[in-house]
Amino acid sequence: MHFKQDFFEQLPDFYEEVLPAGLPSPHWLAWSDDAAALLGLQQADEPLLQQLAGNQRMPGASYYAQVYSGHQFGGYSPQLGDGRSIILGEAVGPQGHWDVALKGAGPTPFSRHGDGRAVTRSAIREFLVSEALFHLGIPTTRALAVIGSELPVWRESLEKGAITVRLARSHIRFGHFEHCYYSTGGKAERVRQLADFTIAQHFPHLDCDAAGYQQWFVEVVEATARLIASWQAIGFAHGVMNTDNMSIVGDSFDFGPFAFLDTFKEDFICNHSDPEGRYAFGQQPGIGLWNLQCLAQALTPIISSDALLAALRCYQPMLVKHYLQLMRQKMGLPDASAVPAENDLALIGAFTTMLEQQGLDYTLTFRQFASLDPTSASSALRDEFVDTAAFDHWLAQYRQRLGPIPDVGQWQAQRRQHNPQYILRNYLAQQVIVAAEQGDTAPLQRLYRALRSPYDTTSEFAEFSQRPPAWGEGLIMSCSS
Ligand code: AMP
Ligand code: MG
């Protein structure tokens, strides 16, 4: 790996140096060729294993934990920071640079009472979801590898320590700016320093002046709106949308008790520690705005309130526009300026309401849009529904809106490109984790292969496109990681 050290060299007040504690008996549990290609890495060899396990120094790396704050479940936590993640710097790849972080590498000055570790189960989940979201076309941090070990780590029971090697375009979170703002009593200097760095690194088309800052915030709002629209369209619940888990570049970030929906349920809660449902699936768009408001407050020293409010007002229309575009693609509704957005949103909403009322699987039902044929009354989509009268009523409206389809085969093939066959269902993750914990990583490799081609048209991995068994339906995860 070839590193540059821009964050480390330019922002010395924004981190603490810390070395990894090391992992005994490290071994590869997972490796992503796709992520490796981003860094121009050829192979997962022994020296690299020892370096990523934190047992040997990586040439060119610095070792640091960033400081940040954040609103957690609505309350402000002034002193967070990387409690179990150590960043090595920005690795320069063939098409850009990637922060490399060892998640679970041991305690840092920000660990508070935590042990700085991650366990096998959470490391595998982070690996799989990062790569799954990427292949679904959703902005996300990436995962290069999971390294397992014999290190005993105590959670609800005794588990083993592991490291996820995370690649991120940026590790800067909304919470970084909140830290700059609140820890200085709202002084501009520190906020500006971080904004200038962020813009130079990630928004290089903008200037670091008043107009540039304004436009930058507009672009952060837009990236966030697009991200959350894409979560809603694919049926992904993040689970812990605290502001310290919100990436400034709009990537899905910091995975814990996330879930892809099985049965469609607007108020689905995937986080065991969130009984009130603050971060329920259907709350995510509103929480995105709430989090952007926190960020806006932290930017008041460098951007006028009027400009911040104007940008925030664009959030909802941007999100709806992007969501509508994605859902039209899923359902095969042509973008038609003559059709008011409200009409299509009502048609889409009527469909998801039916899914919810009839207890249907979100992903599998949408996949069956590829079975629709305007010349035939029956379809695999219709067969999914118990209350076929309700479906037929909806279908009549849908057909009217759809209009004629010139080439049915092509239309159906396009539906398969927008409605995945494979998502990372919690029960699937659970199955491969149990096997990996017992030393068998073959199921993990196989699931990973399926998730690399979520829109596949073969049935090579048919066992992964099933509804969950009773024990696996709507699994709720604990935050413990
Ligand atoms: P998360 O819920 O993973 O976003 O974590 C929230 C905060 O707790 C972050 O500052 C983490 O670094 C920290 N944290 C979570 N788990 C641990 C752990 N096992 N040891 C130390 N810090 C942790
Ligand atoms: Mg976090």
Side-chain angles (χ1 to χ4, degrees), residues 68 173 244-245 254:
Y68 50 85
R173 307 148 190 262
D244 53 298
N245 292 338
D254 245 12

Side-chain angles (χ1 to χ4, degrees), residues 68 72 84 103 166 173 240 242 244-245 253-255:
Y68 50 85
Q72 299 187 307
R84 56 183 182 127
K103 191 167 175 182
R166 174 165 66 193
R173 307 148 190 262
V240 204
N242 294 331
D244 53 298
N245 292 338
F253 192 26
D254 245 12
F255 303 103

